[in-house]
């Protein structure tokens, strides 16, 4: 069936395929596998250009060793290695043109989706272990190699800590899909963040019933531009995760909420491992107490646990979802002996994405890893400027950077440094709730009826909510030698505005992603 599909002009991308597909894919199986090895993107245009392509990146899980079949026409888009400095090399990602109808068959030697989840969420074999010697079980234990009783390499290689390895490999897949579809039609997509933002700071702080929340939020108001728009992310805003009995009056909390700040519960398991019964107990008892003390506030939809208590692989995320919490900041770049003042993205990603169980089942809670904390003895300015400049500059390591600068006190050296660096680079500082609202807008929006005919691309955009404005649609600036000329919406006589930006080696035209029908002329 798959061979018939591809021969007739269809495209196939197989992840760690069944050997029965070898003929179609143009590969022959060598014996053996590589587990938790490395892959390097080939710098071949157009797919490999613009990505991190001169460095071995990690994959997690198991890859099959195979070779390109002689005479099959298959090419390497990526290479596989057993280790960071090994001399072996196998095809890691392959692409083969099939037949005369434009069909193409591609293969990843490893399961990309599985590898992405494992890179972001840590090693399932370490689930439930206290590896860093700091009880309770926390998210960093899933990444921390140097356990006293079980010394192993760190799960994600620190020599690559600034590279969003999982994101770059997803971008490889995204570029393959676009490239393989191009003989039929170019594909539109949505940009990660509102407008053409390449980075955003999610400012949060935990408040253990000390109410530094009030003075901190007032400081953010003072730092915000006059007449700033909260919905356009122009105001400096932050989240405070509070113990439910923090001495903040409901009327003041309501006033902050109305101004776009977020006051949510700092769920407290008593600093014990957040096993299902303990997490459930904390949520079921503390959320009603929070509601009693803050009747004017909306129910919390984002969270960080006290002591960043975690358990198992992803069970705290499941427990949170049951209680309406849909964004989690518990993944935490900590402690000092792990971080060693090295700025980076310890989950191999700068992007929030939904959690998955270890079997791959999706959980409707976003993981927004906290990359900056005020309890790992870091040089705040070095960390924030490194992460922001990596996102804004030529590297294109686009990132949502989450910070925990405790709101126990109003003053915070770390918060000051982060906000200052963000303002200097015109990077918004928002709440976790603002991020969640945005993710919902972007992920509900969709394209349909995509067509390409006679140099004209057309499609519909639907389900764009106005909760957070600024959704950007993007289409390639050039298609098969033709250059974009005009974009019209809903049959209007006047073309709409667009601007171009190069993303991972490809020039795109960006324009407002509003509901409607679009017709794009290429000449
Ligand atoms: Zn706490």
């Amino acid at each position: 069936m798959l061979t018939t599909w591809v021969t007739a002009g269809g495209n196939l991308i197989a992840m760690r395929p069944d050997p029965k597909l070898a003929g179609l894919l143009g590969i022959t199986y060598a014996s053996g596998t590589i587990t938790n090895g490395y892959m390097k993107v080939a710098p071949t245009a157009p797919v490999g250009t613009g990505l991190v392509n001169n460095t071995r990146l990690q994959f997690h899980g198991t890859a099959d060793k195979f070779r390109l079949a002689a005479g099959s026409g298959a090419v390497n888009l990526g290479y596989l290695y057993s280790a960071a400095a090994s001399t072996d090399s196998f095809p890691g990602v392959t692409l083969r043109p099939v037949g005369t109808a434009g069909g193409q068959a591609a293969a990843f030697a490893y399961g990309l989706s599985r590898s992405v989840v494992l890179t972001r969420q840590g090693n399932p074999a370490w689930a439930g272990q206290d590896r860093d010697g700091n009880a309770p079980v926390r998210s960093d234990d899933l990444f921390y190699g140097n356990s006293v009783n079980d010394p192993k390499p760190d799960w994600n290689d620190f020599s690559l800590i600034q590279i969003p390895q999982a994101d770059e490999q997803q971008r490889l897949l995204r570029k393959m899909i676009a490239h393989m579809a191009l003989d039929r039609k170019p594909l539109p997509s949505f940009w990660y963040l509102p407008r053409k933002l390449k980075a955003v700071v999610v400012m949060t702080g935990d408040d253990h019933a000390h109410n530094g929340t009030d003075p901190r939020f007032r400081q953010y108001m003072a730092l915000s531009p006059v007449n700033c728009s909260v919905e356009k992310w122009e105001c400096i805003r932050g989240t405070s995760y509070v113990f439910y009995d923090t001495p903040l009056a409901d009327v003041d909390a309501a006033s902050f909420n109305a101004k776009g700040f977020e006051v949510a519960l700092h769920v407290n398991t008593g600093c014990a491992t957040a096993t299902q019964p303990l997490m459930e107990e904390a949520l079921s008892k503390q959320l009603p107490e929070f509601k009693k003390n803050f009747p004017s506030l909306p129910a919390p939809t984002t969270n960080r646990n006290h002591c960043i208590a975690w358990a198992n692989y992803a069970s705290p995320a499941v427990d949170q979802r049951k209680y309406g919490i849909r964004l989690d900041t518990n993944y935490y770049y900590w402690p000092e002996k792990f971080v060693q003042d090295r700025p980076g993205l310890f989950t191999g990603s700068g992007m929030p994405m939904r959690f998955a169980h270890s079997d791959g089942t999706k959980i409707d809670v976003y993981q927004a890893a906290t990359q900056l904390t005020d309890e790992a003895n870091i040089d705040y300015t070095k960390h924030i400027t490194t992460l922001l400049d990596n996102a804004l500059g030529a590297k294109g390591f686009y990132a949502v950077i989450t910070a925990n600068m405790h709101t126990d006190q109003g003053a915070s050296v770390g918060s000051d440094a982060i906000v200052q660096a963000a303002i200097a680079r015109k990077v918004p500082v928002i709440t976790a709730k603002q991020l969640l609202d945005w993710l919902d807008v972007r992920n509900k929006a969709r394209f349909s009826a995509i067509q390409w005919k006679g140099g004209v691309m057309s499609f519909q955009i639907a389900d764009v909510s106005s909760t957070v404005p600024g959704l950007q649609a993007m289409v390639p600036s050039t298609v098969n030698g033709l250059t974009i000329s005009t974009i019209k919406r809903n049959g209007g006589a006047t073309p709409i505005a667009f601007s171009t930006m190069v993303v991972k080696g490809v020039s795109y035209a960006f324009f407002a992603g509003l509901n409607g029908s679009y017709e794009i002329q290429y000449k």
Side-chain angles (χ1 to χ4, degrees), residues 23-27 68-76 94-98 104-105:
L24 177 61
L25 295 164
I27 57 178
L68 300 182
S72 69
V75 296
N76 271 325
T94 62
L95 178 64
R96 180 192 177 214
V98 178
Q104 294 171 86

Side-chain angles (χ1 to χ4, degrees), residues 378-508:
I378 62 169
D379 176 336
Y380 298 111
T381 300
K382 177 173 85 176
H383 280 244
I384 186 65
T385 58
T386 301
L387 296 178
L388 288 181
D389 292 345
N390 284 351
L392 303 175
K395 286 176 179 164
F397 296 165
Y398 316 117
V400 172
I401 297 158
T402 303
N404 179 21
M405 298 295 133
H406 283 76
T407 41
D408 289 304
Q409 283 87 36
S412 162
V413 177
S415 167
D416 292 347
I418 293 164
V419 171
Q420 191 182 50
I423 290 174
R425 288 163 180 77
K426 298 186 168 61
V427 169
V429 179
I430 63 168
T431 67
K433 172 71 162 52
Q434 283 178 290
L435 174 65
L436 176 60
D437 287 344
W438 162 253
L439 294 171
D440 282 342
V441 168
R442 184 181 183 276
N443 289 328
K444 277 177 190 151
R446 61 191 174 87
F447 293 97
S448 62
I450 303 163
Q451 290 184 11
W452 171 254
K453 212 172 170 183
V456 177
M457 182 181 189
S458 60
F459 51 76
Q460 307 275 331
I461 296 179
D463 296 340
V464 180
S465 139
S466 58
T467 319
V468 184
L471 181 69
Q472 293 285 300
M474 45 199 282
V475 295
S477 302
T478 61
V479 179
N480 301 333
L482 302 175
T483 303
I484 190 164
S485 145
T486 55
I487 305 178
K488 288 183 177 175
R489 177 169 169 262
N490 291 339
T494 315
I496 62 168
F498 67 88
S499 59
T500 57
M501 185 165 98
V502 175
V503 178
K504 297 292 159 187
V506 178
S507 174
Y508 291 92

Side-chain angles (χ1 to χ4, degrees), residues 206 208 243 266 305-307 406:
D206 299 346
H208 306 83
F243 278 177
H266 190 35
N305 286 345
H306 181 47
C307 297
H406 283 76

